Structure formats: C-alpha cells, structure tokens
Amino acid sequence: QSVLTQPPSVSAAPGQKVTISCSGGSSNIGNNYVSWYQQLPGTAPKLLIYDNNKRPSGIPDRFSGSKSGTSATLGITGLQTGDEASYSCGTWDSGLSTGVFGGGTKLTVL
Amino acid sequence: QVQLVQSGAEVKRPGASVKVSCKVSGYTLTELAMHWVRQAPGKGLEWMGGFVPEDGETIYAQKFQGRVTMTEDTSTDTAYMELSSLRSEDTAMYFCATGPTVTADGPNWFDPWGQGTLVTVSS
C-alpha cells in the first residue's frame, strides 16, 4: 500500500486534456515539494515535474503540476498516443523520514 | 549531463545477498546525492534509501534497515546497493537515481535514473 494515493487508471482521447490526482497528508505533500514521473512500459521513470510545478529542461509545457494543501495534480494537455504510460507522484515524508511515492496511474489515450 | 548505468540482471536463492552497481558518468560521485528505488512487478515505486544532504549521511527506509547497505567507490564513481537475506518479495526492478544536493528536509525529486536491474529471488 503506497503512502500517496493515485487513481489506478485514467483515459482520454487524443488532443484532449487529462488530470491525475495525488493525495497525501500533512507530513508529506502538506509540507514538502511534489514531483511527477512518467514511466513508459519497460523503462525507467523520467522526471516530468519537480518542486510542485517546475519542468526540467526538455519537458514540453503540455505537462503541468499544481499543489493545494495535501493534494497535488498533474495535468497533460494535447494528449498524444505517445503519452500512454504510467505516471507517479513522489515527495519526502518528514514524519517517516522516507521518500514516498504514489502507486502509479496508467494513462490510456483512446 | 549525468548518466547512470547499472549492472545486469541477477537471479538469487532465498536467503542469499545481491549487490547491484551503478556507474556514474558526466559528473563525479562526490558531486551527487545517490538513492536507490525499487519496483516490484505491477507495483509502485518504493524508496529504499540514499544520501540526504541535510543529514550529511546515507539513510535507509525503516523497512530495509539491517538488510540493506549502500556504499560508494569514489575512485571509480560507482555506487553499490547490497540487499541481504533475500526473500521472494524482494523480486523487483532496482533503480539508482540522483536526488537534490541541497534539501530543506529530504529529497523530493529524483533525476536522472539508471536503466534498472532486475533481481529475481526464486528457489
């Protein structure tokens, strides 16, 4: 059971927008920055968003992040078939002194 | 640009130990904060431990304390993760990844990641 809670799956049509939620608590999301990762089948995770809403160099602005209280959200606009992947949120848990992740959300682009 | 290349897949018997390596290029290991994350088949990511700059030392997730050892060979810029007393539940892909070198509390992002090393524990 993951410390952070994500929906198991989401789906949307090409060109549409989708959001993926990540819910935690005061010791993790509530007091630390959130990051998001994309994991294509059979590959290592790739950092998409860090510090709640910053994009590393090379990540298109179709990807965005936000945080409110103890929840965070990843948004993807202009969906492409190549966006089909698993998306995971992560942060630090100050109470557990542990890095924590969500269970991952599988995105299907119909 | 940092690149991380991990050692190859391993098959181990229950009770054995495994040591996975992660070779750094583009930077020296002393400039980085290395972490290890694993992912069991069909499951989410799980942080095992790593160097926390605020603490100035490597710390381990409580779940793995006593079974995991993370070391570094700065002469070859290679990090190692050794997990002992293996059981079937340890079957997973193991990743090395670098975290921030300045933190207010602990690492809240990891980038880049190694390609992963599959460890299979089976009798």
Side-chain angles (χ1 to χ4, degrees), chain B:
Chain B
Q1 188 156 354
V2 180
Q3 290 193 308
L4 308 175
V5 178
Q6 298 182 224
S7 48
E10 303 261 13
V11 179
K12 296 292 182 181
R13 300 294 190 198
S17 296
V18 68
K19 192 170 186 177
V20 179
S21 69
C22 174
K23 168 74 174 169
V24 174
S25 62
Y27 275 69
T28 63
L29 199 46
T30 56
E31 298 175 282
L32 304 172
M34 189 64 73
H35 297 265
W36 292 85
V37 177
R38 77 176 187 180
Q39 186 172 37
K43 302 295 185 182
L45 301 168
E46 182 174 34
W47 182 81
M48 299 179 69
F51 183 80
V52 178
E54 192 189 55
D55 292 340
E57 61 180 350
T58 295
I59 67 171
Y60 303 127
Q62 188 170 11
K63 175 178 179 176
F64 300 102
Q65 281 180 4
R67 276 210 307 145
V68 70
T69 304
M70 296 173 187
T71 56
E72 297 181 349
D73 182 345
T74 55
S75 69
T76 61
D77 288 319
T78 303
Y80 298 91
M81 186 285 299
E82 184 170 22
L83 188 62
S84 62
S85 302
L86 290 169
R87 33 208 189 234
S88 58
E89 309 89 87
D90 294 318
T91 293
M93 188 71 81
Y94 289 76
F95 297 99
C96 59
T98 60
T101 53
V102 176
T103 63
D105 190 348
N108 44 48
W109 57 258
F110 302 100
D111 179 59
W113 297 60
Q115 83 277 19
T117 296
L118 180 62
V119 175
T120 303
V121 183
S122 174
S123 55

Side-chain angles (χ1 to χ4, degrees), chain A residues 41-56:
Chain A
T43 69
K46 174 183 176 182
L47 181 67
L48 284 181
I49 298 288
Y50 68 100
D51 290 358
N52 300 336
N53 55 19
K54 297 186 173 79
R55 282 177 285 106

Side-chain angles (χ1 to χ4, degrees), chain A residues 72-107:
Chain A
T73 301
L74 173 70
I76 311 173
T77 60
L79 278 171
Q80 304 172 2
T81 55
D83 295 332
E84 284 204 335
S86 178
Y87 293 83
S88 297
C89 56
T91 188
W92 182 254
D93 191 299
S94 305
L96 299 173
S97 292
T98 295
V100 291
F101 294 95
T105 298
K106 180 174 170 53
L107 168 64

Side-chain angles (χ1 to χ4, degrees), chain A residues 16-38:
Chain A
Q16 296 300 303
K17 173 181 177 177
V18 72
T19 60
I20 298 173
S21 61
C22 174
S23 176
S26 58
S27 62
N28 43 69
I29 292 179
N31 275 291
N32 288 289
Y33 289 116
V34 176
S35 53
W36 288 92
Y37 304 87
Q38 178 192 62

